[in-house]
Amino acid sequence: MAGSTFGTIFKISTWGESHGKGIGVVIDGCPAGIPLCEEDIQIQLDRRRPGQNKYTTARSESDQVEILSGTFEGVTTGTPISLLVRNQDQRSRDYGTISELYRPGHADYGFDAKYGIRDYRGGGRSSGRETIGRVAAGAVAQKLLAEIGVSAKAYVSAIGPVSIDRERMDLDYAEESPVRMPDPDATKEALSWLDQCIASQDSSGGAVECVVNRVPAGLGEPCFEKLDANLAKALMSIGAVKAVEIGDGTAVQKAKGSENNDTFLYGEDGVPYKASNHSGGILGGISDGSPLFIRASFKPTPSIAQPQSMLGKDGKCHVESIHGRHDPIVVARAVPVVEAMTAVTLADHLLLAMTSQIGYVKKIFG
């Protein structure tokens, strides 16, 4: 299978299936000398872990990470970092009735059409469990970015018909919210909406936003490796993401140039800054020194308990329910995944940008 590797210098390759023996990632290109231990990665995996409350899947997994290579005496060595999480609570029997059926909203038919064989147990590589490798790699990328003060913070901005009120936003509260919304009132409304979805054996879509502060200007490789293009690719590669917006996003179609343009000013330190940030921190595919603002829209979880019509390999339609343990909504657990893919993309572009001027080369080798 091609397509399991992302990045140019800071490169990650994820592997494993939902109901296999384990899930993992190999990270190549990470600089030596970065402090790294399993706890640094575990913190992020715990945020993604299933079974946190009734609004997430009941699958019981500790998701304990093991560092197999790439560190010595608590720091990275510059060699490939291999990370492993063992699966512990597979219930493959839940999927026996649909082994010959194509579930609505799933990648079943696509995998069959492409490979002539598919792992029907939880979706295999198309399962949300595949994101473990991404989150683990993202934790390493965030350690790299932290060395220059860059930090990414994601949160849920919408669930179904409920959106946060930006005047009530409290990013510290987001981690207390069962659905990671930075708005207590919106959280209550969203939980009521999700209770209705659960009662009707249904699911809901939602949106995750990510803000990245202290991003240096100059990251991005025009024309085909622009920062915004690669961020969009990174987030669109997350299962269930159907749209990605940067800055004002789709709202720009209603704007005038005089409204959308961000004016540059000189700060007291002599460094240019923008009076507004409609661009979301990226112009011409290159970071402009402003905070990055990204939004990813997630579709409703396709695995719902309602009886649905499913096409079988026998050419007939069968009415079946999907058994197993599934999230009524994915966005709460997707927050660390969005942060991770954002961090991996930025780490890669940070290392790429070091080659853009001869002056940078001279600072290292001159």
Side-chain angles (χ1 to χ4, degrees), residues 76-120:
T76 57
T77 62
T79 59
I81 301 170
S82 184
L83 307 175
L84 165 67
V85 171
R86 300 180 191 275
N87 290 330
Q88 299 171 321
D89 188 27
Q90 308 98 311
R91 282 194 351 204
S92 302
R93 64 184 182 276
D94 289 339
Y95 299 91
T97 58
I98 53 91
S99 61
E100 299 294 315
L101 302 176
Y102 298 131
R103 296 169 294 174
H106 288 75
D108 298 345
Y109 176 69
F111 269 76
D112 254 1
K114 182 172 180 64
Y115 299 106
I117 185 173
R118 68 181 170 95
D119 184 347
Y120 59 83

Side-chain angles (χ1 to χ4, degrees), residues 240-321:
V241 171
K242 303 305 293 183
V244 173
E245 299 174 80
I246 295 174
D248 285 359
T250 57
V252 298
Q253 64 187 329
K254 301 177 182 178
K256 297 177 181 178
S258 57
E259 299 168 329
N260 184 249
N261 288 343
D262 297 316
T263 301
F264 281 91
L265 304 170
Y266 268 110
E268 294 180 359
D269 57 1
V271 177
Y273 72 96
K274 296 187 314 186
S276 57
N277 192 23
H278 298 290
S279 70
I282 303 173
L283 288 167
I286 303 173
S287 61
D288 59 27
S290 302
L292 298 189
F293 180 83
I294 311 158
R295 179 186 299 107
S297 296
F298 288 75
K299 73 176 185 179
T301 314
S303 293
I304 59 176
Q306 283 185 25
Q308 299 178 87
S309 177
M310 304 184 193
L311 179 65
K313 291 184 179 181
D314 59 6
K316 300 177 182 178
C317 286
H318 304 257
V319 176
E320 293 282 351
S321 296

